[in-house]
Amino acid sequence: MRSDRASRMAIAGAMLMAMAMPVAAQAQAAPQVPAPYVKDPRNWPTPVVDTVPPTLPAFKARHAVLVLSKTNGFRDDPQIRTANAALAALVRARGWDVFVTENAAVSNPAQLAKFDVIVLNSTSGDIFTEAQRAAFRGWLERGGGLVALHGAGGDHDYAWKWYQESLIGAVFMGHTARPKQFQQGTIHLAEPGHPILKGLPAAWTREEEWYAFDRVPSGAQTRILAWLDEDSYEPVPNQRMGAQHPIMWTRCIGRGRMVFSALGHKAETYGEPLHLRMIGNALDWAAVAKRQRC
């Protein structure tokens, strides 16, 4: 009797274990659900539409430069503040006047007419009203010089399609991501003799958050200044562009001229001598737009 009872208990136990095993296996194999992405308000401030223009100082130098760093999308505050200071220093070192602001209402015909160069320092989101867009576009097409840096071309979508399609000439797809967001990569100069590239090495290796775009910009007398070597770092698979991966280029916008550089995510990059040299060269190139067509 004891033997039969023991046998029945052993069989029942085995059956229970067999029934439980698939459940346990399923629980173990269940994929981990990532925590939902929560936007840090420090990086995603509440959008603000500026309607009251700032008060400008009196400009007396040969050139005046507007540095605009308005963000209605992603914002990296340390980068913007450091870059603004570096940009102001580069302008002043040339003996020019500079006005640094986050007030997009400066984009009005009367005030923009006072500037030869505008620098968009990692602007993001839709920062202009319709009237401000018209003023900005008119200023550029009449012979302004624009320097657009990093985030100024780094949004997936803009309500103002002219900005992406005609000004930048390509749509941002994304950039290298964590845990390999910042990587060493090599830039190859496509036009070593171009004034913006003066003093830069033919193969320039540096650390960056590497941008990718949906196309190689063309038309509007586009000149690709530099290509990114995708073999020198690890791109996100769906962001590969192949041998032709533009990272810096110029375009002609009416009688004006524009240069875009995708470099400069980290605040520390605005202490790099070669990066500062390139930006300084870009300022010089942009400043002559009114008297020398693109």
Side-chain angles (χ1 to χ4, degrees), residues 27-159:
Q28 188 174 5
Q32 294 290 326
V33 178
Y37 175 68
V38 178
K39 288 186 174 181
D40 188 328
R42 292 173 297 181
N43 297 124
W44 297 94
T46 301
V48 174
V49 177
D50 302 313
T51 56
V52 179
T55 300
L56 299 182
F59 297 132
K60 299 178 180 179
R62 181 164 59 103
H63 293 301
V65 178
L66 169 65
V67 177
L68 180 62
S69 54
K70 174 77 175 182
T71 50
N72 272 344
F74 180 81
R75 179 183 183 86
D76 185 328
D77 198 65
Q79 177 264 313
I80 285 176
R81 291 180 182 278
T82 303
N84 280 346
L87 288 161
L90 285 171
V91 174
R92 293 189 180 109
R94 286 161 167 74
W96 303 348
D97 288 320
V98 62
F99 183 71
V100 180
T101 186
E102 302 237 335
N103 186 343
V106 71
S107 187
N108 63 79
Q111 291 191 324
L112 290 186
K114 299 179 182 296
F115 297 100
D116 303 297
V117 178
I118 295 176
V119 181
L120 297 181
N121 173 24
S122 284
T123 48
S124 66
D126 292 300
I127 63 174
F128 294 134
T129 65
E130 287 294 338
Q132 292 162 6
R133 290 176 182 176
F136 176 86
R137 179 174 176 176
W139 171 87
L140 185 57
E141 290 179 340
R142 286 191 294 272
L146 177 67
V147 179
L149 300 177
H150 194 62
D155 276 349
H156 295 282
D157 187 45
Y158 291 90

